[in-house]
Amino acid sequence: MTNLLDTLRATVGPAHVLAEGDLTAWEQDWRRRARGKALAVVRPGSTAEVAAVVRACAQAGTSIVPQGGNTGLSVGSTPDASGTQVVLSLARLNAVRAIDKDNLTLTVEAGCILQNVQAAAAQAGLLFPLSLAAEGSCTIGGNLGTNAGGTQVVRYGNARELCLGLEVVTPQGEVWHGLKGLRKDNTGYDLRDLFIGSEGTLGVITAATLKLFPQPAASLTAWAAVPSMEAAVRLLGLAHQHLGAGLTGFEVMGRFALSLVAKHMPQLRVPFMEREDVPYCVLLENADSESEAHARARFEALLETAFEDGCVQDAVVAESLAQAHGLWHIRESIPLAQAEEGLNIKHDISVPISRIPAFCEYTDALLAREIPGVRLVNFGHLGDGNLHYNVQTPEGSDARAFLRDQETHVNHLVYEAVARFGGAFSAEHGVGGLKVAELEKYQPPVALGMMRAIKQALDPQGIMNPGRVLRR
Amino acid sequence: MTNLLDTLRATVGPAHVLAEGDLTAWEQDWRRRARGKALAVVRPGSTAEVAAVVRACAQAGTSIVPQGGNTGLSVGSTPDASGTQVVLSLARLNAVRAIDKDNLTLTVEAGCILQNVQAAAAQAGLLFPLSLAAEGSCTIGGNLGTNAGGTQVVRYGNARELCLGLEVVTPQGEVWHGLKGLRKDNTGYDLRDLFIGSEGTLGVITAATLKLFPQPAASLTAWAAVPSMEAAVRLLGLAHQHLGAGLTGFEVMGRFALSLVAKHMPQLRVPFMEREDVPYCVLLENADSESEAHARARFEALLETAFEDGCVQDAVVAESLAQAHGLWHIRESIPLAQAEEGLNIKHDISVPISRIPAFCEYTDALLAREIPGVRLVNFGHLGDGNLHYNVQTPEGSDARAFLRDQETHVNHLVYEAVARFGGAFSAEHGVGGLKVAELEKYQPPVALGMMRAIKQALDPQGIMNPGRVLRR
């Protein structure tokens, strides 16, 4: 191994091979679910250096764990405990390589922080719409590696849909230059989408060409109280009809989730919490290519129809950008409020939108029956059929003991319910090391077989992020 | 082989195994570029039957050529001349399995004619936006197998972006049920997008779950004369800004292409042909979620800005649906007018939109220099950077001799120019059997190596549409 470390030092410079001292930032995952031990953290400064690092590791038979901002929620970017894996940090590959306004594309390196990608687009008067809670520290390489989702998927799609091309270092240390930035390119198999969402198990994404969009002339936010999840789904249908592609966000939040925000962030005023007949609220965003006045008129027409329909009990439209930010801030504070309330069990599930009401009714009742006193923090991206259907420990219980005794059981109940309603146990967070068993259980054998064959074909040595997504 | 035919007859019924008589409809490709000879044409009536057919062929070591509407332009769905391949026609798998309005999805079998898919969506008050010239006879399975494009890609994307899930029979005759219809699903590698665009070389698509959209309240069409290709690109940028997601079509047509329509279809009145200073015309479509009046106002604001900018010389907005259809009819008549004029060499290329003007200037001059008297029928989907940059034989020349002597040379010149400008030799038509050599030439070895490894991993026997996309 000394040999490998020497080669790596010669490749990227001794300052960029970290093998001693406190490596917690690279060895521990974001949610502190797992703490690994790296042979070294290597920080190459160019694609050529990434390729050389991969070649050296391949030669030594040493595993590689690619890492961006290390903000993943499924333990996919930290090393295992063996002390034999190299963490390959893309943090220094953070250049904006090119912006092409006429082609509506932006080419960035994998280590670019998402917020900087957004800013580079905005500076050119354009929009890169991927937006999620960790945007201040996650990287675009990680976003693509995990096919990140977020709050604007209802209009713009996941990270996958926002990417036109990739540059990738293969497990053999070769560079695939696939950054053409074409909107139509049918010249062979779709390698791009194979790497997107493969969580570093098939190669290392080093750069990407991304789709940009015109910036909307105005963006308006509304907050609606709805009498049921069925009503929320009906409101979504009306919003699609009325706003068309203007509908850029559609979030649902359960009453208990919002009550935690009201409790732990008393400075935030959560609309309609005083009304006891409001089980869910919905946050809608309407981006308009014309004007704020037009956006407001469209929102008013939508809400009028929704009131008549009965799917909305009450609603406010933000009068200013500050008010809009305030409403989004409430939505985004749910995870923090949940953490303040204590330990909890998180899920990131999706089911067909049409089946969400039945799924919630069924699973709410199931959990209440199986785990007396359970509290559900149900919120998420209803426009995409994606719920963070989280389970808070019963009030006053020993949270640590509850998690120890019940987490596997709770996961089982939720994932079985998800499967029953035709859904997926991971919607936007990926599989990582955390959900490998779920993948084996819920993907049919024929799909698993194809995934394993692809892994074997592209990474026969099995050195790329082994044990993630697929068992090694 | 008798054994195999007997097995196939027992599987799908003797009436659905065609081994004698005139099989031209299945053996000859749409453009009559190649005429093959099938061992048999097999027409299974269900996914289970498709799987049984594939198992029987795999057992016998017999190759399979999946076929939908047989309207492909790259010779990808007809058998070779050996008389040993089974054509697997999906025509009888043509059911609309389910429509889910709340989930905005439609599940259809592979053999559904595209127009019937559109109609099923429209009947539910929704839109399936894939639209292309062959829609009356092509099938959705073929559209997905080739990742078809068409005229609304600028807004809705290619077939790939319109598909949420697939059902596939693998080369081993197993069925992968991947029809969940989820908008977010990060549970392993993206098998769906691997099959989309693989042209039947990795398995047989038997059904798909497709994305639907709200129907626009109004759709307006405009026709603009522009002074140059640069101006057309500038107009595209303005259209994105002004119309946002309302911009659903942006087609460019060169003067010579339009002059052929005027010449061969004198009943069609081509706008602005009397102005000799008009080198290109652009067809724009604006779909509005509000009203026709609103769509018209947005179009007027766009055209006003465009006139001021100088990127539009003259423009008309269709006053009625009939006028709009008339304008689209002119655009869609170009291929036919071209055929009336005589033999020609077709291309389906893409380059980054920003480089299209320079590409055209360079390639127009190159061809004029290399092939005196050459006539360019240049038109296509500028909004996606996709041109059908076709070459008509010089006036008065012996067209057949010209093609015989010049086709390879012309293709070489055009594809080298495409590569020089960072483009792709196939934008929306695929590789088929026609462009295998181009794939080998223009895909970098590292990409080719991965494609071959994937083919080998999923179809080790090499029985799925061998020799298409990749050389056998």
Side-chain angles (χ1 to χ4, degrees), chain A residues 173-227:
Chain A
E174 295 185 290
V175 182
W176 172 48
H177 298 281
L179 289 174
K180 283 186 171 172
L182 301 172
R183 280 173 161 71
K184 285 182 175 171
D185 181 357
N186 281 348
T187 57
Y189 301 155
D190 181 14
L191 301 173
R192 176 191 68 207
D193 286 310
L194 194 54
F195 286 108
I196 294 175
S198 69
E199 306 186 33
T201 63
L202 299 177
V204 186
I205 294 172
T206 52
T209 297
L210 305 168
K211 274 189 208 170
L212 301 179
F213 294 82
Q215 277 186 330
S219 193
L220 275 192
T221 304
W223 185 285
V226 298

Side-chain angles (χ1 to χ4, degrees), chain B residues 108-301:
Chain B
V108 295
E109 293 183 340
C112 265
I113 304 285
L114 175 53
Q115 214 162 56
N116 296 343
V117 179
Q118 297 165 345
Q123 216 170 1
L126 294 166
L127 173 73
F128 181 65
L130 189 67
S131 177
L132 44 91
E135 60 196 25
S137 44
C138 65
T139 63
I140 191 68
N143 299 145
L144 291 164
T146 58
N147 186 26
T151 55
Q152 301 208 76
V153 174
V154 65
R155 161 67 181 100
Y156 296 102
N158 299 288
R160 180 183 305 292
E161 283 82 33
L162 298 174
C163 178
L164 287 172
L166 292 179
E167 179 186 271
V168 171
V169 172
T170 70
Q172 292 73 40
E174 295 185 291
V175 182
W176 171 47
H177 298 282
L179 290 175
K180 282 184 170 169
L182 301 172
R183 279 174 162 70
K184 286 181 173 171
D185 181 356
N186 281 347
T187 57
Y189 302 154
D190 181 13
L191 301 174
R192 176 191 67 207
D193 286 310
L194 194 54
F195 286 108
I196 294 175
S198 69
E199 306 185 31
T201 63
L202 299 176
V204 185
I205 295 172
T206 51
T209 298
L210 305 168
K211 276 189 205 168
L212 301 179
F213 293 83
Q215 276 185 331
S219 193
L220 275 191
T221 304
W223 184 284
V226 298
S228 64
M229 192 60 98
E230 287 90 344
V233 170
R234 229 158 56 234
L235 176 60
L236 175 62
L238 292 176
H240 276 303
Q241 262 174 47
H242 278 260
L243 307 178
L247 182 67
T248 51
F250 196 98
E251 301 283 308
V252 72
M253 298 150 289
R255 183 179 188 85
F256 180 65
L258 290 172
S259 77
L260 291 184
V261 175
K263 175 176 170 188
H264 296 288
M265 286 90 166
Q267 75 282 13
L268 300 181
R269 217 194 62 73
V270 182
F272 311 128
M273 282 308 284
E274 69 287 357
R275 282 187 62 163
E276 304 234 327
D277 61 338
V278 174
Y280 291 101
C281 287
V282 168
L283 185 62
L284 301 94
E285 199 175 68
N286 176 21
D288 197 282
S289 59
E290 188 175 339
S291 66
E292 186 178 321
H294 185 253
R296 207 166 283 280
R298 297 310 296 154
F299 245 163
E300 276 161 17

